[in-house]
Amino acid sequence: MRAVIKHSQQTKTLHFFVVKLVFEFSTMEPNRVRFVENKTLLVTGASGFLGKVFVERILRLQPNVKRLYLLVRATDKKSAEQRLHSEVFEKDLFRVLRKNIGDESLNALISEKVVPVPGDISLNNMGVSDSNLLQDMMQEINFVFHAAATTRFDERYDVALGINTFGALNVLNFAKKCVNLQLLLHVSTAYVCGERSGVIQEKPFAMGETLNGKTKVDINTEMNLVEQKLKTLVEQGCSEEETKHAMKDLGMKRAKLYGWPDPYVFTKAMGEMFLGEYRKNIPIVIIRPTMITSTFLDPFPGWIEGVRTVDSVVVAYGKGVLKCFLVDQTVACDIIPVDMVANAMIVTAAEHFHDSGSHTVYHVASSYQNPIVYKQIYEVSVRYFMESPLLSRSGMPIVPKATVFLSTMAMFRLYTSLNFKLPLQVLKLLSITFPSQFGNKYERHNRKFKMAMRLVKIYEPYLLFKGVFEDRNLETLRIKNEAKEMQDLSGFNLKCIDWEDYFMNTHIPGLVTHVLNK
């Protein structure tokens, strides 16, 4: 039995040695990731879109990383491991790494380097209950990359506050216990700026700062308010559905009170406040990406997971169901490929891990240096689906009709009232008169209309957003690294992107392949 175990360990060691050789003799940008060589990283949100791209890059470019603690929401280590394999390592995203070193070597690399951590960032110590694991993490971790978040714009306030705000504080408090910590990098969102227009600078939040100049927000008071509301709802005997709606309404109400459009960006802003206020001497980097899209180049072009932000419009048009849409076609749609965000995480961490007490904000955005407007995206979508139409269930090519774009909410309401709401009222009368024939049809269409109007109301601040995100900090860092003659990370220079080519030949084909599975 011992001989079998010894042979298994020798085989694993041999596979891992082969992995190291492959990487050591490759030219895969060694300078950028040298700082994590023989270092231990904690990554939260590793199962998310950005998180798994970041993990893939670290494993592919720096196999000499000492250890990767990957925290995911799970009940125990086995379920955490299963979740990481099914939601991260088995994804097509890893096909380049798998092709480079083979299945066995990749499995050996993961087994050697990756430690699944079941947890919950909304809890103390990030919900890690294994005391031995917790002690190991505190002794070993050098870098914390915090990417876990709930990104629903209309999330329940208790959930958003627990994850996005107090989750950030819990991660920071844990980081303070790590005796060898060198940096904490927090992934936020550029839209913590609210509905500001003009050039938006890369400034950290002060504790309690609001966007409308009203009385300072007290974060602990917000949590007390949530707890009191939940207690009242229980006393009133409210159902789970009623509680959910009450919590969503409370989140919207509190966000708007202080100048934010929704609980997502409000709670992300408060999370930033916690980090700035309680960081002490820990170097803090805050990354604020805009709308994240498919990979530009690395590990291969066009990889994406799920329908994200502007993609819902592109997909709806391709399916021939986008009749009208609320958007100002002349404003920039600020998008950023996911591999560029991962690159930004790497280069900013490499820049600041030795800067004790630093607190730096980086916009990762395109609108300042290389903007694309919504009209361009629509025109490219028209051209793409004209050349490569989607097929209907009957196998016939779908020919989308021209979409009507409305640039104000007032115009959108008027248009939808005349073209959708009025016909619905006629259908309602018919359903009353002939319930067996039209009853279900009216209910179904009315439900869809209400849902569409609700979504438009939620997305309105982003669809009509007129701000431009200055990215001077990231540009300064890029120029500095070029001056050092350091090899540039693939596609890190935003100016190199031809957006029309990206949408036509990379992004939309990626959507069709990886999301629509066509």
mmCIF file with all atom_site columns, all heavy atoms in Angstrom, residues 22-39:
data_model
loop_
_atom_site.group_PDB
_atom_site.id
_atom_site.type_symbol
_atom_site.label_atom_id
_atom_site.label_alt_id
_atom_site.label_comp_id
_atom_site.label_asym_id
_atom_site.label_entity_id
_atom_site.label_seq_id
_atom_site.pdbx_PDB_ins_code
_atom_site.Cartn_x
_atom_site.Cartn_y
_atom_site.Cartn_z
_atom_site.occupancy
_atom_site.B_iso_or_equiv
_atom_site.pdbx_formal_charge
_atom_site.auth_seq_id
_atom_site.auth_comp_id
_atom_site.auth_asym_id
_atom_site.auth_atom_id
_atom_site.pdbx_PDB_model_num
ATOM 1   N N   . VAL A 1 22 ? 7.726  23.489 -18.774 1.00 0.00 ? 22 VAL A N   1
ATOM 2   C CA  . VAL A 1 22 ? 6.989  24.104 -19.876 1.00 0.00 ? 22 VAL A CA  1
ATOM 3   C C   . VAL A 1 22 ? 6.938  25.613 -19.696 1.00 0.00 ? 22 VAL A C   1
ATOM 4   O O   . VAL A 1 22 ? 7.163  26.386 -20.625 1.00 0.00 ? 22 VAL A O   1
ATOM 5   C CB  . VAL A 1 22 ? 5.554  23.530 -19.975 1.00 0.00 ? 22 VAL A CB  1
ATOM 6   C CG1 . VAL A 1 22 ? 4.715  24.360 -20.933 1.00 0.00 ? 22 VAL A CG1 1
ATOM 7   C CG2 . VAL A 1 22 ? 5.602  22.083 -20.430 1.00 0.00 ? 22 VAL A CG2 1
ATOM 8   N N   . PHE A 1 23 ? 6.662  26.050 -18.481 1.00 0.00 ? 23 PHE A N   1
ATOM 9   C CA  . PHE A 1 23 ? 6.516  27.482 -18.228 1.00 0.00 ? 23 PHE A CA  1
ATOM 10  C C   . PHE A 1 23 ? 7.854  28.204 -18.198 1.00 0.00 ? 23 PHE A C   1
ATOM 11  O O   . PHE A 1 23 ? 7.967  29.320 -18.660 1.00 0.00 ? 23 PHE A O   1
ATOM 12  C CB  . PHE A 1 23 ? 5.769  27.705 -16.919 1.00 0.00 ? 23 PHE A CB  1
ATOM 13  C CG  . PHE A 1 23 ? 4.292  27.587 -17.087 1.00 0.00 ? 23 PHE A CG  1
ATOM 14  C CD1 . PHE A 1 23 ? 3.647  26.393 -16.805 1.00 0.00 ? 23 PHE A CD1 1
ATOM 15  C CD2 . PHE A 1 23 ? 3.545  28.645 -17.543 1.00 0.00 ? 23 PHE A CD2 1
ATOM 16  C CE1 . PHE A 1 23 ? 2.284  26.282 -16.968 1.00 0.00 ? 23 PHE A CE1 1
ATOM 17  C CE2 . PHE A 1 23 ? 2.178  28.535 -17.711 1.00 0.00 ? 23 PHE A CE2 1
ATOM 18  C CZ  . PHE A 1 23 ? 1.544  27.354 -17.427 1.00 0.00 ? 23 PHE A CZ  1
ATOM 19  N N   . GLU A 1 24 ? 8.865  27.570 -17.630 1.00 0.00 ? 24 GLU A N   1
ATOM 20  C CA  . GLU A 1 24 ? 10.150 28.230 -17.506 1.00 0.00 ? 24 GLU A CA  1
ATOM 21  C C   . GLU A 1 24 ? 10.780 28.507 -18.864 1.00 0.00 ? 24 GLU A C   1
ATOM 22  O O   . GLU A 1 24 ? 11.532 29.458 -19.038 1.00 0.00 ? 24 GLU A O   1
ATOM 23  C CB  . GLU A 1 24 ? 11.099 27.392 -16.634 1.00 0.00 ? 24 GLU A CB  1
ATOM 24  C CG  . GLU A 1 24 ? 10.740 27.488 -15.146 1.00 0.00 ? 24 GLU A CG  1
ATOM 25  C CD  . GLU A 1 24 ? 11.473 26.471 -14.302 1.00 0.00 ? 24 GLU A CD  1
ATOM 26  O OE1 . GLU A 1 24 ? 12.274 25.690 -14.860 1.00 0.00 ? 24 GLU A OE1 1
ATOM 27  O OE2 . GLU A 1 24 ? 11.235 26.460 -13.078 1.00 0.00 ? 24 GLU A OE2 1
ATOM 28  N N   . PHE A 1 25 ? 10.466 27.668 -19.860 1.00 0.00 ? 25 PHE A N   1
ATOM 29  C CA  . PHE A 1 25 ? 11.039 27.854 -21.177 1.00 0.00 ? 25 PHE A CA  1
ATOM 30  C C   . PHE A 1 25 ? 10.085 28.573 -22.129 1.00 0.00 ? 25 PHE A C   1
ATOM 31  O O   . PHE A 1 25 ? 10.371 28.723 -23.300 1.00 0.00 ? 25 PHE A O   1
ATOM 32  C CB  . PHE A 1 25 ? 11.444 26.496 -21.782 1.00 0.00 ? 25 PHE A CB  1
ATOM 33  C CG  . PHE A 1 25 ? 12.685 25.942 -21.164 1.00 0.00 ? 25 PHE A CG  1
ATOM 34  C CD1 . PHE A 1 25 ? 12.592 24.963 -20.184 1.00 0.00 ? 25 PHE A CD1 1
ATOM 35  C CD2 . PHE A 1 25 ? 13.930 26.418 -21.521 1.00 0.00 ? 25 PHE A CD2 1
ATOM 36  C CE1 . PHE A 1 25 ? 13.731 24.455 -19.594 1.00 0.00 ? 25 PHE A CE1 1
ATOM 37  C CE2 . PHE A 1 25 ? 15.082 25.901 -20.929 1.00 0.00 ? 25 PHE A CE2 1
ATOM 38  C CZ  . PHE A 1 25 ? 14.992 24.917 -19.958 1.00 0.00 ? 25 PHE A CZ  1
ATOM 39  N N   . SER A 1 26 ? 8.946  29.010 -21.611 1.00 0.00 ? 26 SER A N   1
ATOM 40  C CA  . SER A 1 26 ? 8.010  29.774 -22.438 1.00 0.00 ? 26 SER A CA  1
ATOM 41  C C   . SER A 1 26 ? 8.333  31.246 -22.336 1.00 0.00 ? 26 SER A C   1
ATOM 42  O O   . SER A 1 26 ? 9.154  31.673 -21.540 1.00 0.00 ? 26 SER A O   1
ATOM 43  C CB  . SER A 1 26 ? 6.565  29.523 -21.983 1.00 0.00 ? 26 SER A CB  1
ATOM 44  O OG  . SER A 1 26 ? 6.331  30.166 -20.763 1.00 0.00 ? 26 SER A OG  1
ATOM 45  N N   . THR A 1 27 ? 7.675  32.020 -23.190 1.00 0.00 ? 27 THR A N   1
ATOM 46  C CA  . THR A 1 27 ? 7.891  33.473 -23.188 1.00 0.00 ? 27 THR A CA  1
ATOM 47  C C   . THR A 1 27 ? 6.651  34.191 -22.699 1.00 0.00 ? 27 THR A C   1
ATOM 48  O O   . THR A 1 27 ? 6.352  35.297 -23.110 1.00 0.00 ? 27 THR A O   1
ATOM 49  C CB  . THR A 1 27 ? 8.229  33.961 -24.617 1.00 0.00 ? 27 THR A CB  1
ATOM 50  O OG1 . THR A 1 27 ? 7.165  33.585 -25.493 1.00 0.00 ? 27 THR A OG1 1
ATOM 51  C CG2 . THR A 1 27 ? 9.520  33.362 -25.115 1.00 0.00 ? 27 THR A CG2 1
ATOM 52  N N   . MET A 1 28 ? 5.892  33.579 -21.823 1.00 0.00 ? 28 MET A N   1
ATOM 53  C CA  . MET A 1 28 ? 4.599  34.108 -21.393 1.00 0.00 ? 28 MET A CA  1
ATOM 54  C C   . MET A 1 28 ? 4.741  35.181 -20.324 1.00 0.00 ? 28 MET A C   1
ATOM 55  O O   . MET A 1 28 ? 4.477  34.957 -19.148 1.00 0.00 ? 28 MET A O   1
ATOM 56  C CB  . MET A 1 28 ? 3.706  32.978 -20.877 1.00 0.00 ? 28 MET A CB  1
ATOM 57  C CG  . MET A 1 28 ? 3.190  32.077 -21.960 1.00 0.00 ? 28 MET A CG  1
ATOM 58  S SD  . MET A 1 28 ? 1.962  30.945 -21.307 1.00 0.00 ? 28 MET A SD  1
ATOM 59  C CE  . MET A 1 28 ? 1.447  30.106 -22.775 1.00 0.00 ? 28 MET A CE  1
ATOM 60  N N   . GLU A 1 29 ? 5.186  36.341 -20.712 1.00 0.00 ? 29 GLU A N   1
ATOM 61  C CA  . GLU A 1 29 ? 5.158  37.527 -19.863 1.00 0.00 ? 29 GLU A CA  1
ATOM 62  C C   . GLU A 1 29 ? 5.642  37.272 -18.444 1.00 0.00 ? 29 GLU A C   1
ATOM 63  O O   . GLU A 1 29 ? 4.916  37.453 -17.480 1.00 0.00 ? 29 GLU A O   1
ATOM 64  C CB  . GLU A 1 29 ? 3.734  38.087 -19.802 1.00 0.00 ? 29 GLU A CB  1
ATOM 65  C CG  . GLU A 1 29 ? 3.161  38.380 -21.166 1.00 0.00 ? 29 GLU A CG  1
ATOM 66  C CD  . GLU A 1 29 ? 1.680  38.115 -21.237 1.00 0.00 ? 29 GLU A CD  1
ATOM 67  O OE1 . GLU A 1 29 ? 1.112  37.605 -20.265 1.00 0.00 ? 29 GLU A OE1 1
ATOM 68  O OE2 . GLU A 1 29 ? 1.095  38.428 -22.267 1.00 0.00 ? 29 GLU A OE2 1
ATOM 69  N N   . PRO A 1 30 ? 6.885  36.875 -18.241 1.00 0.00 ? 30 PRO A N   1
ATOM 70  C CA  . PRO A 1 30 ? 7.345  36.533 -16.897 1.00 0.00 ? 30 PRO A CA  1
ATOM 71  C C   . PRO A 1 30 ? 7.450  37.735 -15.968 1.00 0.00 ? 30 PRO A C   1
ATOM 72  O O   . PRO A 1 30 ? 7.316  37.586 -14.757 1.00 0.00 ? 30 PRO A O   1
ATOM 73  C CB  . PRO A 1 30 ? 8.723  35.919 -17.161 1.00 0.00 ? 30 PRO A CB  1
ATOM 74  C CG  . PRO A 1 30 ? 9.182  36.547 -18.437 1.00 0.00 ? 30 PRO A CG  1
ATOM 75  C CD  . PRO A 1 30 ? 7.949  36.733 -19.254 1.00 0.00 ? 30 PRO A CD  1
ATOM 76  N N   . ASN A 1 31 ? 7.705  38.924 -16.510 1.00 0.00 ? 31 ASN A N   1
ATOM 77  C CA  . ASN A 1 31 ? 7.955  40.083 -15.660 1.00 0.00 ? 31 ASN A CA  1
ATOM 78  C C   . ASN A 1 31 ? 6.756  40.471 -14.815 1.00 0.00 ? 31 ASN A C   1
ATOM 79  O O   . ASN A 1 31 ? 6.887  40.822 -13.646 1.00 0.00 ? 31 ASN A O   1
ATOM 80  C CB  . ASN A 1 31 ? 8.375  41.284 -16.525 1.00 0.00 ? 31 ASN A CB  1
ATOM 81  C CG  . ASN A 1 31 ? 9.721  41.051 -17.197 1.00 0.00 ? 31 ASN A CG  1
ATOM 82  O OD1 . ASN A 1 31 ? 10.630 40.521 -16.586 1.00 0.00 ? 31 ASN A OD1 1
ATOM 83  N ND2 . ASN A 1 31 ? 9.829  41.428 -18.457 1.00 0.00 ? 31 ASN A ND2 1
ATOM 84  N N   . ARG A 1 32 ? 5.594  40.422 -15.401 1.00 0.00 ? 32 ARG A N   1
ATOM 85  C CA  . ARG A 1 32 ? 4.391  40.905 -14.736 1.00 0.00 ? 32 ARG A CA  1
ATOM 86  C C   . ARG A 1 32 ? 4.023  40.075 -13.503 1.00 0.00 ? 32 ARG A C   1
ATOM 87  O O   . ARG A 1 32 ? 3.508  40.597 -12.528 1.00 0.00 ? 32 ARG A O   1
ATOM 88  C CB  . ARG A 1 32 ? 3.204  40.894 -15.697 1.00 0.00 ? 32 ARG A CB  1
ATOM 89  C CG  . ARG A 1 32 ? 3.315  41.903 -16.805 1.00 0.00 ? 32 ARG A CG  1
ATOM 90  C CD  . ARG A 1 32 ? 3.033  43.297 -16.293 1.00 0.00 ? 32 ARG A CD  1
ATOM 91  N NE  . ARG A 1 32 ? 2.985  44.222 -17.401 1.00 0.00 ? 32 ARG A NE  1
ATOM 92  C CZ  . ARG A 1 32 ? 3.697  45.326 -17.469 1.00 0.00 ? 32 ARG A CZ  1
ATOM 93  N NH1 . ARG A 1 32 ? 4.529  45.618 -16.499 1.00 0.00 ? 32 ARG A NH1 1
ATOM 94  N NH2 . ARG A 1 32 ? 3.588  46.135 -18.493 1.00 0.00 ? 32 ARG A NH2 1
ATOM 95  N N   . VAL A 1 33 ? 4.230  38.785 -13.575 1.00 0.00 ? 33 VAL A N   1
ATOM 96  C CA  . VAL A 1 33 ? 3.754  37.912 -12.507 1.00 0.00 ? 33 VAL A CA  1
ATOM 97  C C   . VAL A 1 33 ? 4.889  37.387 -11.622 1.00 0.00 ? 33 VAL A C   1
ATOM 98  O O   . VAL A 1 33 ? 4.669  36.512 -10.803 1.00 0.00 ? 33 VAL A O   1
ATOM 99  C CB  . VAL A 1 33 ? 2.947  36.728 -13.097 1.00 0.00 ? 33 VAL A CB  1
ATOM 100 C CG1 . VAL A 1 33 ? 1.606  37.203 -13.603 1.00 0.00 ? 33 VAL A CG1 1
ATOM 101 C CG2 . VAL A 1 33 ? 3.717  36.045 -14.216 1.00 0.00 ? 33 VAL A CG2 1
ATOM 102 N N   . ARG A 1 34 ? 6.074  37.943 -11.801 1.00 0.00 ? 34 ARG A N   1
ATOM 103 C CA  . ARG A 1 34 ? 7.210  37.493 -10.996 1.00 0.00 ? 34 ARG A CA  1
ATOM 104 C C   . ARG A 1 34 ? 6.992  37.789 -9.513  1.00 0.00 ? 34 ARG A C   1
ATOM 105 O O   . ARG A 1 34 ? 7.482  37.064 -8.647  1.00 0.00 ? 34 ARG A O   1
ATOM 106 C CB  . ARG A 1 34 ? 8.490  38.175 -11.492 1.00 0.00 ? 34 ARG A CB  1
ATOM 107 C CG  . ARG A 1 34 ? 9.774  37.608 -10.884 1.00 0.00 ? 34 ARG A CG  1
ATOM 108 C CD  . ARG A 1 34 ? 10.993 38.192 -11.581 1.00 0.00 ? 34 ARG A CD  1
ATOM 109 N NE  . ARG A 1 34 ? 11.091 37.689 -12.941 1.00 0.00 ? 34 ARG A NE  1
ATOM 110 C CZ  . ARG A 1 34 ? 11.765 38.327 -13.908 1.00 0.00 ? 34 ARG A CZ  1
ATOM 111 N NH1 . ARG A 1 34 ? 12.344 39.488 -13.662 1.00 0.00 ? 34 ARG A NH1 1
ATOM 112 N NH2 . ARG A 1 34 ? 11.830 37.804 -15.115 1.00 0.00 ? 34 ARG A NH2 1
ATOM 113 N N   . PHE A 1 35 ? 6.237  38.838 -9.209  1.00 0.00 ? 35 PHE A N   1
ATOM 114 C CA  . PHE A 1 35 ? 6.054  39.235 -7.810  1.00 0.00 ? 35 PHE A CA  1
ATOM 115 C C   . PHE A 1 35 ? 5.270  38.217 -6.988  1.00 0.00 ? 35 PHE A C   1
ATOM 116 O O   . PHE A 1 35 ? 5.314  38.238 -5.759  1.00 0.00 ? 35 PHE A O   1
ATOM 117 C CB  . PHE A 1 35 ? 5.386  40.615 -7.728  1.00 0.00 ? 35 PHE A CB  1
ATOM 118 C CG  . PHE A 1 35 ? 3.906  40.621 -8.010  1.00 0.00 ? 35 PHE A CG  1
ATOM 119 C CD1 . PHE A 1 35 ? 2.989  40.719 -6.970  1.00 0.00 ? 35 PHE A CD1 1
ATOM 120 C CD2 . PHE A 1 35 ? 3.424  40.536 -9.306  1.00 0.00 ? 35 PHE A CD2 1
ATOM 121 C CE1 . PHE A 1 35 ? 1.624  40.731 -7.217  1.00 0.00 ? 35 PHE A CE1 1
ATOM 122 C CE2 . PHE A 1 35 ? 2.060  40.559 -9.570  1.00 0.00 ? 35 PHE A CE2 1
ATOM 123 C CZ  . PHE A 1 35 ? 1.161  40.653 -8.523  1.00 0.00 ? 35 PHE A CZ  1
ATOM 124 N N   . VAL A 1 36 ? 4.529  37.312 -7.638  1.00 0.00 ? 36 VAL A N   1
ATOM 125 C CA  . VAL A 1 36 ? 3.797  36.285 -6.884  1.00 0.00 ? 36 VAL A CA  1
ATOM 126 C C   . VAL A 1 36 ? 4.516  34.940 -6.898  1.00 0.00 ? 36 VAL A C   1
ATOM 127 O O   . VAL A 1 36 ? 3.973  33.947 -6.406  1.00 0.00 ? 36 VAL A O   1
ATOM 128 C CB  . VAL A 1 36 ? 2.341  36.113 -7.393  1.00 0.00 ? 36 VAL A CB  1
ATOM 129 C CG1 . VAL A 1 36 ? 1.531  37.363 -7.109  1.00 0.00 ? 36 VAL A CG1 1
ATOM 130 C CG2 . VAL A 1 36 ? 2.294  35.743 -8.862  1.00 0.00 ? 36 VAL A CG2 1
ATOM 131 N N   . GLU A 1 37 ? 5.724  34.905 -7.432  1.00 0.00 ? 37 GLU A N   1
ATOM 132 C CA  . GLU A 1 37 ? 6.499  33.672 -7.399  1.00 0.00 ? 37 GLU A CA  1
ATOM 133 C C   . GLU A 1 37 ? 6.781  33.285 -5.944  1.00 0.00 ? 37 GLU A C   1
ATOM 134 O O   . GLU A 1 37 ? 7.223  34.098 -5.140  1.00 0.00 ? 37 GLU A O   1
ATOM 135 C CB  . GLU A 1 37 ? 7.819  33.843 -8.152  1.00 0.00 ? 37 GLU A CB  1
ATOM 136 C CG  . GLU A 1 37 ? 8.639  32.564 -8.234  1.00 0.00 ? 37 GLU A CG  1
ATOM 137 C CD  . GLU A 1 37 ? 9.873  32.718 -9.101  1.00 0.00 ? 37 GLU A CD  1
ATOM 138 O OE1 . GLU A 1 37 ? 10.163 33.848 -9.547  1.00 0.00 ? 37 GLU A OE1 1
ATOM 139 O OE2 . GLU A 1 37 ? 10.558 31.697 -9.328  1.00 0.00 ? 37 GLU A OE2 1
ATOM 140 N N   . ASN A 1 38 ? 6.457  32.035 -5.631  1.00 0.00 ? 38 ASN A N   1
ATOM 141 C CA  . ASN A 1 38 ? 6.638  31.502 -4.268  1.00 0.00 ? 38 ASN A CA  1
ATOM 142 C C   . ASN A 1 38 ? 5.826  32.279 -3.223  1.00 0.00 ? 38 ASN A C   1
ATOM 143 O O   . ASN A 1 38 ? 6.170  32.304 -2.046  1.00 0.00 ? 38 ASN A O   1
ATOM 144 C CB  . ASN A 1 38 ? 8.117  31.487 -3.869  1.00 0.00 ? 38 ASN A CB  1
ATOM 145 C CG  . ASN A 1 38 ? 8.382  30.456 -2.781  1.00 0.00 ? 38 ASN A CG  1
ATOM 146 O OD1 . ASN A 1 38 ? 7.755  29.398 -2.734  1.00 0.00 ? 38 ASN A OD1 1
ATOM 147 N ND2 . ASN A 1 38 ? 9.291  30.771 -1.879  1.00 0.00 ? 38 ASN A ND2 1
ATOM 148 N N   . LYS A 1 39 ? 4.734  32.926 -3.657  1.00 0.00 ? 39 LYS A N   1
ATOM 149 C CA  . LYS A 1 39 ? 3.846  33.653 -2.751  1.00 0.00 ? 39 LYS A CA  1
ATOM 150 C C   . LYS A 1 39 ? 2.499  32.936 -2.665  1.00 0.00 ? 39 LYS A C   1
ATOM 151 O O   . LYS A 1 39 ? 2.125  32.163 -3.547  1.00 0.00 ? 39 LYS A O   1
ATOM 152 C CB  . LYS A 1 39 ? 3.622  35.091 -3.240  1.00 0.00 ? 39 LYS A CB  1
ATOM 153 C CG  . LYS A 1 39 ? 4.900  35.925 -3.351  1.00 0.00 ? 39 LYS A CG  1
ATOM 154 C CD  . LYS A 1 39 ? 5.495  36.227 -1.986  1.00 0.00 ? 39 LYS A CD  1
ATOM 155 C CE  . LYS A 1 39 ? 6.702  37.155 -2.120  1.00 0.00 ? 39 LYS A CE  1
ATOM 156 N NZ  . LYS A 1 39 ? 7.312  37.456 -0.816  1.00 0.00 ? 39 LYS A NZ  1
#
